[in-house]
Every structure is written in C-alpha cells, then in structure tokens.
Amino acid sequence: MIYEALLTNAGYLFLIINTLVFTISYNVKNKEQKYFIMYLILCFTVQMFSGFLSDLRQNNLFLSHYFFIGQFIFLSLFFSTFYRFKNIIRSFTFLVALSFIFYLNLNTEIYKKWSVIEIAVTSIPLIIYSLLFFVKKISDNKDNKYIYFNTGFFLYTLCSTLIFSLGNIGTRELKFYVWKINNLLYFIFQVLIFIEWYKNFRKSLTLKNNLIDTKTK
C-alpha cells in the first residue's frame, strides 16, 4: 500500500512539474505546444479536483467525462498540426465531442459514472494519430520533438484503455491489480513527458531567462 501511494504521488508530482515547466517554456511560434500545454493543464485540473472530492468521499467519476473529452479535443488538435489532413481531424473531433456532450446532457445517470464506450471512442483515434506520428517521424528523420511524449502516451493510452474496460467489468480483486498497473504506467508516462521537456524544450526556458537578464541590465 505504501509503495502504491508513493508511486501515485510521484506520478502526480511529475504532472505538476511537467505542467509548470512546459508552461513557462511556451513559445508562441509553436502552435502544437499550445494544445499540448492545454492538455497538461486539463490533466492537472482534473486530478486536483478528483483528489479533493476523493478526500471528501464524494463521487468524482463525473470528472472522467471532462478528462476523456478534453483529452480527445486537445490532443486531436495537437496531432492535427503535424498532418496535411488536419481539417479532417478537426471536423471529426468537433462532431465526436459535440455528440458526447449532447449525449451526457440527455443522460444524467451516465454523467455520474464512467463510460467504456466514451473511453474507447475518444481514445482509439488518439492511438491511431499517435501511431501515425511515429511513422511520420521515421520518414521525416528531422528531429525528435515530442517523441518521448508520444512513446509514453501511446503505451499508456493503449494499455489503460484496455485496463479501464477490463476493470469496469471485473472482480474487486482484479480492479485492485488493474489500478496498480495503471498507476505504474501513468508514472512512466509522466517521467517520459519530463524527459521530453528536458531534451527538447529546456533550452527555450534558458533562452527566455537570458533575454530577461539582458533587458534588466
């Protein structure tokens, strides 16, 4: 239990750090970075409120809808910046997100639970975009930006989609092990995001600090 708590808290700590360092390293010229930061802020916000409601022993499953739909929107926009068919991706994203919003508004009982269908429909397209991103990076062979993030995202989302689906229908003991595996995968994912920043975006922060120092002199 102690190990599990430490792993979970370590993952959340990396999430806070990642949100902070990517935000302060933001470059307005990089459109994809804007969507990526929005995704990190979404993760941080949902996690913060989820933990708060959990401490109060309140139902926090309704937050899963905000997370999965929000993740679908922000990361679809993120991946779309790398492809020529970005308008198709964005139109599809709008239609799917709007459909789920209407569906949840009309079905308040489902709003209080998590939905396997919602998880699958919003996650599978992202897994496909992520796989295409690997192909694009291999063919372009220009830089490795977002390759660490994409590796972590692909592994975590592919596994967690299966885990959430299985955990929703399995026994209590199975759900316990499912969450342990999910926590480990989440920790690895957040570590890879930090490596992404350190390898490819740390210099942006250094450059900003140098410019500030130059202006103050």
Side-chain angles (χ1 to χ4, degrees):
M1 292 296 292
I2 296 176
Y3 168 77
E4 183 184 357
L6 287 174
L7 187 63
T8 301
N9 291 330
Y12 297 157
L13 177 61
F14 266 103
L15 171 60
I16 294 171
I17 294 172
N18 291 334
T19 304
L20 178 63
V21 295
F22 269 97
T23 300
I24 62 180
S25 303
Y26 174 56
N27 185 344
V28 293
K29 295 181 180 179
N30 297 331
K31 293 182 180 180
E32 76 283 349
Q33 195 177 359
K34 174 179 64 177
Y35 300 125
F36 184 71
I37 292 172
M38 288 179 179
Y39 163 68
L40 290 176
I41 293 174
L42 169 72
C43 294
F44 171 74
T45 304
V46 170
Q47 187 55 57
M48 180 182 66
F49 279 106
S50 178
F52 176 72
L53 291 174
S54 179
D55 290 339
L56 295 177
R57 297 184 179 181
Q58 298 291 323
N59 185 350
N60 59 8
L61 292 181
F62 71 93
L63 292 171
S64 67
H65 304 295
Y66 294 97
F67 173 74
F68 284 108
I69 294 175
Q71 174 182 256
F72 176 64
I73 292 171
F74 292 137
L75 289 187
S76 291
L77 292 173
F78 167 78
F79 283 118
S80 72
T81 61
F82 298 98
Y83 309 127
R84 293 181 179 178
F85 51 93
K86 62 181 179 181
N87 289 333
I88 296 176
I89 293 177
R90 292 178 180 183
S91 297
F92 174 73
T93 301
F94 175 77
L95 290 174
V96 171
L98 193 62
S99 297
F100 273 114
I101 290 171
F102 277 121
Y103 178 70
L104 292 171
N105 283 331
L106 294 174
N107 297 272
T108 54
E109 292 185 0
I110 296 177
Y111 178 75
K112 299 176 183 178
K113 306 174 183 179
W114 75 17
S115 169
V116 174
I117 295 176
E118 179 185 28
I119 294 171
V121 172
T122 57
S123 297
I124 291 175
L126 294 179
I127 293 173
I128 295 173
Y129 302 153
S130 178
L131 185 60
L132 291 175
F133 185 86
F134 281 124
V135 175
K136 181 175 176 57
K137 284 293 181 180
I138 293 172
S139 61
D140 289 348
N141 196 27
K142 292 180 179 179
D143 60 62
N144 64 347
K145 276 189 177 181
Y146 296 108
I147 197 68
Y148 295 99
F149 157 72
N150 194 58
T151 300
F153 175 76
F154 181 80
L155 293 174
Y156 173 70
T157 306
L158 179 62
C159 295
S160 65
T161 300
L162 297 175
I163 284 173
F164 280 130
S165 300
L166 181 63
N168 202 40
I169 61 175
T171 62
R172 180 176 297 181
E173 183 179 3
L174 178 60
K175 290 179 181 179
F176 173 75
Y177 287 107
V178 157
W179 281 110
K180 288 182 68 175
I181 295 172
N182 185 71
N183 287 339
L184 176 60
L185 290 172
Y186 187 76
F187 172 75
I188 294 172
F189 177 37
Q190 290 300 325
V191 170
L192 285 172
I193 291 178
F194 181 78
I195 294 174
E196 178 68 53
W197 174 81
Y198 188 83
K199 291 283 188 179
N200 296 314
F201 295 93
R202 177 169 51 97
K203 292 180 180 179
S204 297
L205 180 58
T206 303
L207 181 60
K208 279 186 176 182
N209 290 333
N210 290 337
L211 288 174
I212 293 173
D213 290 339
T214 302
K215 289 179 180 180
T216 55
K217 290 180 180 179

